[in-house]
Amino acid sequence: MENDEPVSPDPNHDNTQSKRANPVHKKSHLTQIEVIPCKICGDKSSGVHYGVITCEGCKGFFRRSQSSSVQYSCSRQSNCPIDRASRNRCQSCRLKKCVAQGMSRDAVKFGRMSKRQRDSLFAEVERHRQQQRLQANSVQEPQTLPAYRSGKESREQSSHLIPPLPPSYPYSVEPELQGCPPEVHPYLDCRIGEAQTLPYRGSHRRGESNSLSTGRGFDPTRSTPEAILNMSGSEMGFRPFDPESSFFSYPTSLHIEEVSASIVRSHRETTQYRPEELQALRWKVFSREEIHTYQSKSVDEMWQHCAVRLTDAVQYVVEFAKRIPGFRQLCQNDQIALLKSGSMEVVLVRMSRMFNTENNTVFFDGKFAGTELFKSLSCGDLIAAVFDFAHNLCALRLTEQQMAVFTALVLLNADRPCLEDRERVQRVRRDVELALSHILLRDNQESLLHKLYQRVPVLKSLCALHMEKLRWFRQLYPLTVHSLFPPLYKELFGSDTDIQTLTTH
Ligand code: HC3
């Protein structure tokens, strides 16, 4: 019976040229390709072999089938199933499947694939990554949110989540009686305290020079939460922020340049896709059939799908916020309050990076999608408004640096509800305001400042409409939200009252 173990490196699979052609892209691309299972048996793949993504076993089997003179024959109806467990049972059917999938000794090497072929492969990698994350998220689901409790009980129960408030805080009355109940935020809370392993990014940033003096950049697939958590401020290239220090209260242009550089670096490390990746895929649009598949989802299915995607995007925003100079020196309550009210706004701003104004599509699930793809959400007005916003902001053609500092400004809004120390938020914000002015002045684009500030109330109205839609959806599908939406999503967009509604129905 065919010995399945690869006997030696594949002499036919020489990708030297492609390694020379683009070592970083090639390495990262090949690394990504392995998320796609073997096209022959479904086992973990090891790359493109003889023109098809296969595992080492099927690569070796095909090579031996080409070199040996043996003829394979099937003892059944030549339709044997070929999977990881059965692949050695029938060599004839296995070879038949190899050929059917396109394996050939003359197949082009990966490095010489056409751009279209490589883009198609890249999009397939992205789709598999998204599926992996979806499964990972559903596996994470068992974590349950604490059920709604009265103020006193809630504070006692949640003390392990949010440090108990010192008596001087104004939460002495029952939460129902105050403007901003001390909500429980186990997911936001731990995300603020620790760095999270983020969902897959567009590509690994190996070898990219990074800002950290230790040479460790933020790569969610590499950096463990402990590693990031243990990086000291100086190790991360930041001077410890101390709003009380005299140095901080008189920002010099050097300090402002440092704040700008720090925010731009954090932005670069916490955006899901690089501009060049999005540019490379800008004409990769969904087919009619693929759009129909999305449109055929039920309302609750599509909402759950988008809620997962939105939550992924928010996780990157949380990491970005934590790296804004001064953000983590704010009190826990204010960090959470700023994220609760600002993260969706930042997601919408960042969405404009992924928008193609020429066909009004946005990068979603590995390809560019128009509004029609989101039809089954049944909130056409919200979709249209979100796309309009993305289109108009995209048309300003912000640079990554301008985008980075603008999103930091969106987050550091001292007018947000439930803030305990507005003045401190304002102090942190002031440096970012100066940083944005500094960058626009340097870029000779001061007129952008007014245009960007004009977008802020639009963001607020979009988020209000989003919350209105969520309340509508939750009335119809309370258990979907409660049981199937990511916990972080519920923390961000839910509220104690809503949790009470859910748990008492
Ligand atoms: C805004 C959006 C949901 C989020 C989608 C995101 C931002 C997700 C991250 C991707 O990298 C980029 C992206 C593209 C499209 C964005 C969607 C467009 C429309 C949809 C709704 C307006 C929000 C629906 C979310 C809800 C209702 C489940 O909370």
Side-chain angles (χ1 to χ4, degrees):
M1 190 50 75
E2 178 74 22
N3 166 10
D4 201 20
E5 293 316 307
V7 285
S8 63
D10 175 1
N12 292 292
H13 183 75
D14 168 15
N15 53 26
T16 312
Q17 306 92 317
S18 46
K19 276 183 182 162
R20 269 202 300 272
N22 182 340
V24 173
H25 182 68
K26 165 78 179 166
K27 183 179 170 215
S28 65
H29 219 87
L30 277 184
T31 312
Q32 292 172 30
I33 280 176
E34 288 159 18
V35 299
I36 299 174
C38 173
K39 296 285 187 182
I40 310 302
C41 69
D43 196 1
K44 179 165 175 37
S45 66
S46 61
V48 179
H49 308 300
Y50 300 100
V52 175
I53 297 172
T54 71
C55 64
E56 285 298 302
C58 291
K59 177 182 88 174
F61 165 77
F62 184 77
R63 182 184 66 250
R64 292 188 290 279
S65 71
Q66 300 303 300
S67 54
S68 62
S69 57
V70 67
Q71 293 298 317
Y72 298 135
S73 63
C74 176
S75 56
R76 287 175 283 275
Q77 292 78 35
S78 294
N79 58 356
C80 304
I82 304 296
D83 58 28
R84 174 79 184 78
S86 66
R87 65 191 184 192
N88 290 330
R89 290 186 198 141
C90 178
Q91 295 159 319
S92 171
C93 290
R94 187 180 187 182
L95 180 56
K96 185 177 153 195
K97 187 167 183 181
C98 289
V99 174
Q101 288 293 330
M103 289 184 84
S104 153
R105 280 201 308 197
D106 310 320
V108 289
K109 299 285 187 296
F110 173 76
R112 290 206 298 274
M113 276 185 183
S114 70
K115 182 181 175 307
R116 190 183 58 77
Q117 285 169 319
R118 277 204 296 269
D119 284 349
S120 177
L121 201 50
F122 188 84
E124 184 175 2
V125 166
E126 171 59 22
R127 278 198 296 282
H128 275 274
R129 285 281 190 197
Q130 304 276 20
Q131 283 161 8
Q132 277 180 345
R133 192 169 54 254
L134 209 52
Q135 284 148 18
N137 273 330
S138 55
V139 166
Q140 283 168 1
E141 268 313 297
Q143 294 158 331
T144 51
L145 275 181
Y148 180 75
R149 287 177 291 274
S150 70
K152 185 175 180 312
E153 187 191 352
S154 162
R155 272 197 299 285
E156 282 160 8
Q157 294 284 334
S158 65
S159 57
H160 64 289
L161 298 170
I162 295 181
L165 299 172
S168 59
Y169 272 85
Y171 288 140
S172 50
V173 293
E174 285 311 309
E176 291 77 14
L177 304 179
Q178 37 181 280
C180 309
E183 295 172 56
V184 172
H185 300 278
Y187 293 89
L188 266 181
D189 181 44
C190 69
R191 273 170 172 65
I192 284 174
E194 302 148 26
Q196 295 304 306
T197 303
L198 288 165
Y200 167 68
R201 310 173 59 175
S203 70
H204 300 296
R205 300 188 174 183
R206 290 203 187 88
E208 182 178 67
S209 65
N210 69 71
S211 57
L212 301 176
S213 52
T214 56
R216 285 183 292 168
F218 179 86
D219 179 344
T221 58
R222 291 261 171 238
S223 305
T224 60
E226 297 70 28
I228 295 175
L229 201 59
N230 295 334
M231 285 179 199
S232 66
S234 55
E235 193 183 21
M236 292 171 76
F238 301 145
R239 190 183 54 258
F241 171 84
D242 171 7
E244 311 312 332
S245 75
S246 57
F247 176 89
F248 181 76
S249 54
Y250 301 104
T252 64
S253 60
L254 173 63
H255 172 65
I256 293 304
E257 287 195 5
E258 280 188 336
V259 168
S260 306
S262 158
I263 292 171
V264 169
R265 192 166 50 228
S266 307
H267 170 83
R268 212 174 43 234
E269 291 168 349
T270 61
T271 42
Q272 289 167 281
Y273 308 97
R274 286 185 295 200
E276 53 274 21
E277 288 165 336
L278 294 163
Q279 184 64 25
L281 290 169
R282 68 192 276 102
W283 298 110
K284 179 61 61 189
V285 293
F286 283 102
S287 66
R288 202 182 303 279
E289 294 73 27
E290 289 169 324
I291 291 172
H292 180 68
T293 304
Y294 280 99
Q295 293 176 337
S296 307
K297 287 178 185 283
S298 60
V299 174
D300 55 322
E301 276 174 340
M302 190 59 180
W303 268 70
Q304 187 193 346
H305 187 82
C306 284
V308 169
R309 292 291 177 273
L310 180 56
T311 306
D312 287 347
V314 164
Q315 289 186 39
Y316 282 90
V317 173
V318 172
E319 283 307 321
F320 170 65
K322 285 164 51 185
R323 293 159 172 264
I324 297 172
F327 183 86
R328 290 184 70 176
Q329 279 69 40
L330 299 172
C331 68
Q332 188 87 303
N333 173 83
D334 288 0
Q335 292 180 47
I336 288 175
L338 291 176
L339 281 167
K340 275 197 71 146
S341 45
S343 53
M344 177 70 173
E345 292 185 1
V346 172
V347 165
L348 295 175
V349 172
R350 285 183 162 194
M351 202 176 129
S352 67
R353 294 175 72 246
M354 302 183 261
F355 198 83
N356 183 346
T357 53
E358 292 173 73
N359 58 7
N360 282 329
T361 56
V362 66
F363 191 69
F364 179 78
D365 276 0
K367 291 187 179 180
F368 278 80
T371 55
E372 68 281 0
L373 183 130
F374 300 94
K375 195 169 137 191
S376 55
L377 282 172
S378 287
C379 43
D381 50 349
L382 172 63
I383 308 297
V386 163
F387 270 66
D388 279 351
F389 177 84
H391 184 287
N392 295 334
L393 189 57
C394 187
L396 295 182
R397 304 175 64 77
L398 297 182
T399 64
E400 284 295 281
Q401 295 192 357
Q402 294 166 353
M403 167 79 64
V405 181
F406 179 55
T407 48
L409 211 50
V410 166
L411 276 171
L412 289 166
N413 181 340
D415 298 330
R416 298 294 191 193
C418 304
L419 290 178
E420 290 166 3
D421 190 343
R422 291 183 194 283
E423 290 69 39
R424 195 176 181 117
V425 175
Q426 186 55 44
R427 274 205 304 277
V428 177
R429 176 187 171 88
R430 185 179 50 158
D431 262 5
V432 182
E433 286 172 340
L434 292 172
L436 183 58
S437 303
H438 165 79
I439 284 180
L440 293 178
L441 202 61
R442 182 202 63 190
D443 298 346
N444 198 20
Q445 289 184 290
E446 303 95 298
S447 63
L448 270 182
L449 193 62
H450 177 60
K451 290 174 183 169
L452 288 175
Y453 277 109
Q454 278 181 321
R455 294 292 193 281
V456 173
V458 181
L459 278 171
K460 187 172 180 178
S461 62
L462 283 176
C463 290
L465 182 57
H466 174 238
M467 291 309 290
E468 184 189 311
K469 296 298 176 187
L470 179 55
R471 278 190 290 276
W472 161 77
F473 179 81
R474 180 185 274 128
Q475 293 298 327
L476 291 175
Y477 303 95
L479 291 184
T480 300
V481 177
H482 186 61
S483 313
L484 299 176
F485 275 26
L488 176 57
Y489 179 99
K490 290 182 282 191
E491 275 179 44
L492 281 171
F493 306 120
S495 72
D496 266 351
T497 316
D498 294 336
I499 292 174
Q500 183 181 23
T501 311
L502 276 175
T503 47
T504 47
H505 277 179

